């Protein structure tokens, strides 16, 4: 109180959201160590989707309300990667977005990619073999040194799906720039937890159902303004129109002047289930998520006697892992003897310790 007996108003700083407080928004059953396969929604996203499903079922609303979630998601994604929303297009899958870029490269182009690349960033290039597009694959370790003046496109994952390896992103971009090659990044396993200078690439494609915790069927691409000059909007449609609501019928062609020209018309309800999750990630900030996820991954590594790493995904050969994990109720991916576990902001130390217990006892 001041001398007049009035209660002095305090400037109340809004409390910064922490991973620990955000974790209360999830209802994950213990033992989900497979975000590299699909991510789990926070309660606000799940509830928004349920409400929209109910409106859909009863025909209570028009679609425009659902579509606001697409705009909210585009804006939040842009903030997450440090881009302008006008440079972000929306799609349904990573492969669909890569396919649009691949269809736009000149006949006879050479594409360089890692040999373990997830095929959503490989097959879309390979289908252009008949017009002379060559896809050269090398090991992830050799990718950087394989970038030379014969390469027209470097296509790679920022984080490898199979192994969790984090690519030397800045060095690859620099080598590609030095050789005038287009840089097309699949950041599906990275955006949402890995801080990176994303807009230094030409194209960054992200399927949102893993680390961005969307229902399946939403994807984004950052398309740099200079790259867009060479891209053809292969799926041109009403939603990509300059004025969406004046683009339903008839010519002329009247697409948006920015990255929206490349949009596909959105699967509305999936976007309703995505927007709150993305906004939460933006509020938390990628740095906090990165620190949490990598700390858990390193707790897991230490428990197995492995040196610390830099990824939220750990892949390691452990004989009998599949049955040990299944018996303990731990859900992870096991491929050809290698167990792949992944840790996101809703993962707890108890999840990690339960997995270690199952694998080491
Ligand atoms: C690196 C990577 N890219 C893309 C995808 C999925 O791609 P799409 O959206 O084309 O199904 C996955 C799924 O595992 C992935 O690991």
């Amino acid at each position: 109180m001041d001398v007049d007996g009035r209660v002095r108003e305090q400037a109340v700083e809004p409390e910064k959201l922490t991973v620990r407080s955000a974790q209360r928004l999830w209802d994950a059953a213990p033992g989900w160590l497979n975000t590299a396969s699909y991510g789990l929604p926070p309660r606000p996203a799940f509830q928004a989707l349920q409400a929209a499903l109910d409106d859909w079922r009863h025909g209570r609303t028009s679609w425009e309300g659902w579509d606001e979630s697409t705009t909210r998601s585009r804006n939040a994604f842009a903030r997450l990667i440090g881009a302008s929303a006008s440079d972000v297009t929306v799609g349904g899958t990573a492969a669909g977005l890569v396919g649009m870029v691949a269809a736009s490269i000149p006949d006879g182009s050479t594409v360089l990619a890692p040999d373990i690349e997830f095929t959503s960033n490989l097959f879309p290039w390979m289908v252009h073999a008949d017009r002379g597009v060559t896809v050269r694959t090398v090991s992830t370790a050799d990718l950087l040194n394989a970038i030379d003046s014969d390469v027209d496109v470097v296509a790679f994952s920022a984080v490898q799906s199979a192994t969790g390896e984090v690519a030397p992103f800045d060095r690859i971009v620099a080598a590609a720039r030095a050789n005038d090659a287009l840089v097309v990044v699949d950041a599906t396993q990275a955006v949402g937890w890995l801080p990176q200078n994303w807009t230094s690439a030409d194209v960054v494609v992200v399927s949102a159902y893993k680390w961005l915790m969307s229902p399946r069927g939403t994807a984004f691409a950052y398309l740099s303004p200079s790259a867009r000059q060479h891209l053809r909007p292969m799926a041109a449609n009403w939603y990509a129109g300059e004025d969406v609501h004046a683009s339903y019928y008839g010519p002329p062609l009247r697409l948006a002047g920015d990255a929206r020209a490349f949009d596909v018309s959105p699967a509305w309800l999936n976007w309703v289930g995505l927007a709150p999750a993305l906004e939460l990630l933006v509020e938390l900030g990628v740095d906090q998520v990165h620190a949490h996820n990598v700390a858990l991954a390193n707790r897991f590594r230490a428990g197995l006697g492995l040196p610390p790493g830099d990824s939220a995904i750990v892949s390691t050969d452990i004989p009998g892992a599949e049955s040990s994990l299944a018996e303990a109720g731990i859900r992870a991916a096991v491929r050809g003897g290698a167990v792949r576990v992944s840790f996101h902001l809703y993962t707890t130390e108890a999840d990690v310790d339960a997995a270690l217990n199952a694998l080491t006892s």
Side-chain angles (χ1 to χ4, degrees):
M1 295 224 275
D2 63 18
V3 283
D4 302 326
R6 284 181 312 224
V7 176
R8 213 176 282 141
E9 284 198 9
Q10 299 240 322
V12 182
E13 283 279 315
E15 227 174 89
K16 187 170 162 52
L17 185 65
T18 61
V19 169
R20 186 180 282 269
S21 52
Q23 281 186 335
R24 282 186 233 125
L25 296 171
W26 269 268
D27 301 295
W32 179 251
L33 294 186
N34 207 359
T35 299
S37 178
Y38 70 84
L40 312 184
R43 208 170 305 119
F46 183 77
Q47 288 171 345
L49 178 58
Q50 294 307 311
L53 283 168
D54 208 50
D55 285 342
W56 172 48
R57 176 184 181 199
H58 297 291
R60 279 196 207 106
T61 61
S62 186
W63 58 270
E64 289 84 351
W66 299 329
D67 187 46
E68 280 168 22
S69 296
T70 318
T71 306
R72 281 169 54 194
S73 299
R74 191 196 314 266
N75 290 339
F77 178 82
R79 286 186 61 190
L80 208 55
I81 64 161
S84 156
S86 60
D87 293 332
V88 172
T89 186
V90 298
T93 63
L97 289 161
V98 175
M100 184 264 297
V101 179
S104 302
I105 62 169
D107 293 358
S109 296
T110 296
V111 180
L112 177 72
D115 53 9
I116 58 163
E117 188 70 8
F118 191 83
T119 48
S120 287
N121 193 21
L122 207 53
F123 287 178
W125 305 104
M126 296 178 95
V127 293
H128 292 278
D130 64 318
R131 58 183 191 88
V133 172
T134 309
V135 179
R136 257 172 62 197
T137 58
V138 294
S139 71
T140 48
D142 289 338
L143 186 76
L144 189 59
N145 288 334
I147 301 170
D148 58 27
S149 57
D150 293 338
V151 173
D152 301 298
V153 180
V154 183
F156 70 103
S157 284
V159 174
Q160 281 297 331
S161 174
T163 61
E165 278 169 272
V166 178
F169 182 89
D170 292 333
R171 294 167 68 198
I172 293 173
V173 172
R177 292 279 167 262
N179 287 283
D180 261 340
L182 195 75
V183 181
V184 179
V185 183
D186 180 348
T188 298
Q189 297 286 8
V191 165
W193 72 267
L194 185 69
Q196 200 60 272
N197 183 14
W198 297 114
T199 56
S200 64
D202 297 296
V203 174
V204 180
V205 168
V206 176
S207 202
Y209 69 98
K210 299 174 186 286
W211 303 89
L212 304 184
M213 303 168 288
S214 175
R216 211 187 198 296
T218 60
F220 300 94
Y222 164 75
L223 304 173
S224 73
S226 59
R228 291 207 298 276
Q229 290 174 7
H230 307 285
L231 300 180
R232 190 186 294 268
M234 305 296 289
N237 67 90
W238 62 276
Y239 193 74
E242 179 66 58
D243 176 350
V244 172
H245 301 290
S247 304
Y248 298 161
Y249 304 111
L253 180 65
R254 47 198 187 279
L255 296 181
D258 59 14
R260 273 210 314 105
F262 299 87
D263 283 3
V264 296
S265 45
W268 293 315
L269 300 190
N270 294 336
W271 293 90
V272 171
L274 168 59
L278 267 178
E279 287 166 354
L280 199 64
L281 272 175
V282 169
E283 191 183 341
L284 265 171
V286 173
D287 288 341
Q288 280 201 78
V289 182
H290 176 254
H292 174 80
N293 294 7
V294 175
L296 289 182
N298 284 338
R299 183 184 182 92
F300 180 79
R301 295 179 69 93
L304 294 179
L306 298 169
D310 59 358
S311 182
I313 302 175
V314 180
S315 173
T316 183
D317 285 329
I318 303 176
E322 187 159 20
S323 56
S324 317
L325 290 174
E327 271 167 36
I330 310 290
R331 284 92 68 216
V334 182
R335 297 199 175 123
V339 56
R340 184 192 68 179
V341 286
S342 37
F343 309 89
H344 204 11
L345 61 100
Y346 40 74
T347 316
T348 63
E349 290 185 349
D351 291 322
V352 177
D353 295 347
L356 285 172
N357 225 352
L359 292 170
T360 56
S361 62

